[in-house]
Amino acid sequence: MMKQWLDIADEIKQIYSGKEFVPLHEPTLGEKESEYVTDCIKSGWVSSVGKYVDQFEKQLAEYVGVKRAVAVVNGTAALHVALKMAGVQPGDEVFMPSLTFVATANAASYLQAVPHFVDVSKETLGLDPYKLEKHILEIGEMKNGELINKNTGRIIRTVVPMHTFGHPVDIDQLLIVCKRYNLALVEDAAESLGSLYKGKHTGSFGVAGAVSFNGNKIITTGGGGAILTNDEELADYAKHITTTAKIPHRWEYNHDELGYNYRMPNLNAALGCAQLEKIEYFVSSKRALVNKYKLIFENFDGVSVFEEGTQVKSNYWLQTLMIDRKNHKLEKVLEVLNAYGIMARPVWTPMHKLSIFENSPQSNLEVTNYLAESLINIPSTPLKGEEE
């Protein structure tokens, strides 16, 4: 069986022009990025203000189809502020998947809220709205228009779905559950810029959404993130508190509440403007890549390429394999691929298995535990010159 995986490794190297080491994901940068960044440097406005920040926010909002985008220093900061915009208070609980990157749970914790972990769907890899409602019926009760966890006495105000590896969750059903139990929806769309649910961009459905532009994301600003919203008032508030809550004045430094120095530097925004101009190419190239992987694995027993569901369009940020544990030992597969120069990784350790969140409330997490032992990501950098 390991000989088959060595053959697979060779085929992946051929996709990437015979490179000896194929990383999981690396940025695709070119002349336009150099042009914009050089222009930014020449202007002298490289830090917290400048024309590229405003330009990037405008372009991003237009691309996603929301009224406003607020650029910040990273995706975690974006989610932190998005949860604050949704009214999350100290002591509240926040529904979220356990199968996620730690930033989702950290962002809630920054507000002294408590992550409450709910199971995911095998079909989307994201929060399962049916299991969420089943869990609510078991542990929740409505009092004065608020959902209360009967076991802890805490208010549950918010649901945070995460679009895993770029695959949209079942948003429609999730919105129904949110409306029924008076829950605010905040999307962790860190990985799903360019993904659509029924023709509408992820990150645009709830009170706010958060995206990431880390170096391994579909577009990058080096580091960076953004808050997305259709609420102009909330957008103004987000812009205010992410720029240290400073009251505008020509020279005085007055601040009217606890703020955060979460501003995206102009230099990073310049890079983002160039990257955003290429996003359709990046998405199309990644969608072409998944078809190449499907051909490679079509006759490989016990391994399947995870594909998008119906009525959605995934950006396929990270290409994902589902491994049948009866036929393959996950650790051995990872060992062989990485030793042969193919960077592969397992899914994140589920949040409920981390010691820092071991006391957080949780639903039955059967699917989460199964997927954590069944999924691996393989190289996902867009292929130059190849599109869908």
Side-chain angles (χ1 to χ4, degrees):
M1 189 64 73
M2 287 304 113
K3 172 63 166 62
Q4 286 182 284
W5 280 105
L6 288 174
D7 292 340
I8 291 294
D10 276 329
E11 292 191 63
I12 294 174
K13 285 186 176 181
Q14 289 173 27
I15 288 176
Y16 285 97
S17 304
K19 291 175 67 174
E20 281 303 305
F21 173 73
V22 185
L24 193 67
H25 194 288
E26 59 184 345
T28 303
L29 306 173
E31 293 182 3
K32 185 66 72 172
E33 286 81 359
S34 295
E35 177 187 337
Y36 288 2
V37 170
T38 300
D39 178 62
C40 182
I41 292 171
K42 287 181 177 179
S43 75
W45 294 95
V46 299
S47 192
S48 56
V49 292
K51 71 174 184 179
Y52 283 108
V53 174
D54 295 337
Q55 182 178 326
F56 183 60
E57 289 179 338
K58 184 175 183 294
Q59 286 179 241
L60 180 62
E62 289 175 352
Y63 175 72
V64 177
V66 293
K67 291 181 179 178
R68 295 281 295 280
V70 178
V72 292
V73 70
N74 56 49
T76 308
L79 189 55
H80 174 200
V81 174
L83 288 170
K84 189 174 178 66
M85 291 162 65
V88 173
Q89 301 293 318
D92 286 354
E93 293 182 10
V94 179
F95 284 136
M96 64 181 65
S98 178
L99 193 74
T100 187
F101 181 55
V102 71
T104 314
N106 281 347
S109 301
Y110 296 162
L111 293 169
Q112 299 176 52
V114 179
H116 188 142
F117 302 120
V118 183
D119 210 4
V120 296
S121 161
K122 284 184 182 179
E123 284 67 42
T124 68
L125 305 182
L127 200 66
D128 187 324
Y130 298 98
K131 290 187 175 182
L132 172 61
E133 181 154 35
K134 182 174 183 279
H135 182 58
I136 289 173
L137 291 172
E138 291 171 353
I139 61 92
E141 60 181 350
M142 297 298 295
K143 287 184 178 179
N144 301 318
E146 295 176 326
L147 180 62
I148 308 296
N149 184 338
K150 293 185 294 186
N151 298 327
T152 65
R154 291 189 287 250
I155 298 171
I156 309 173
R157 286 187 212 278
T158 314
V159 178
V160 184
M162 197 275 287
H163 304 290
T164 312
F165 308 135
H167 299 288
V169 303
D170 184 353
I171 290 283
D172 279 352
Q173 190 60 38
L174 199 53
L175 286 170
I176 290 171
V177 175
C178 286
K179 184 176 181 180
R180 188 172 290 154
Y181 298 100
N182 194 23
L183 297 167
L185 180 71
V186 173
E187 290 176 77
D188 184 344
E191 302 172 359
S192 63
L193 187 65
S195 296
L196 307 177
Y197 178 86
K198 296 184 177 180
K200 186 177 178 181
H201 272 89
T202 56
S204 66
F205 289 88
V207 173
V211 291
S212 170
F213 310 117
N214 189 36
N216 65 353
K217 294 301 190 294
I218 192 157
I219 69 167
T220 185
T221 58
I227 303 149
L228 309 171
T229 185
N230 284 304
D231 189 314
E232 293 278 7
E233 188 174 337
L234 283 178
D236 288 341
Y237 177 66
K239 190 71 172 178
H240 180 60
I241 64 171
T242 57
T243 54
T244 70
K246 181 180 180 293
I247 300 171
H249 193 278
R250 289 173 61 195
W251 56 78
E252 290 182 355
Y253 287 84
N254 289 318
H255 307 260
D256 58 4
E257 69 171 285
L258 180 66
Y260 309 95
N261 191 5
Y262 281 173
R263 298 169 287 193
M264 175 183 282
N266 198 41
L267 197 62
N268 296 78
L271 183 60
C273 287
Q275 286 273 287
L276 197 53
E277 291 176 12
K278 303 175 181 179
I279 189 168
E280 293 294 357
Y281 161 71
F282 293 151
V283 172
S284 185
S285 180
K286 281 175 170 288
R287 292 177 63 80
L289 178 59
V290 75
N291 290 324
K292 290 182 177 290
Y293 279 135
K294 283 162 63 179
L295 287 174
I296 288 176
F297 288 99
E298 64 180 348
N299 296 316
F300 198 168
D301 290 339
V303 181
S304 60
V305 177
F306 187 84
E307 297 184 63
E308 65 191 5
T310 58
Q311 297 187 292
V312 302
K313 179 180 179 181
S314 176
N315 67 5
Y316 282 100
W317 169 57
L318 284 187
Q319 306 291 339
T320 305
L321 300 180
M322 183 83 77
I323 308 292
D324 186 340
R325 294 171 296 175
K326 296 178 182 177
N327 298 329
H328 306 272
K329 292 183 178 179
L330 202 67
E331 287 297 321
K332 190 64 178 176
V333 170
L334 291 167
E335 182 182 317
V336 169
L337 290 177
N338 281 281
Y340 202 69
I342 303 299
M343 190 174 179
R345 74 172 197 195
V347 72
W348 319 275
T349 299
M351 296 300 98
H352 71 283
K353 293 189 175 182
L354 298 179
S355 60
I356 52 177
F357 298 119
E358 62 185 359
N359 295 319
S360 293
Q362 60 184 255
S363 72
N364 181 304
L365 298 170
E366 179 182 9
V367 174
T368 296
N369 290 327
Y370 172 82
L371 291 176
E373 297 177 0
S374 305
L375 299 178
I376 67 169
N377 298 123
I378 54 177
S380 305
T381 302
L383 299 174
K384 294 180 181 179
E386 293 198 38
E387 299 178 68
E388 187 182 24

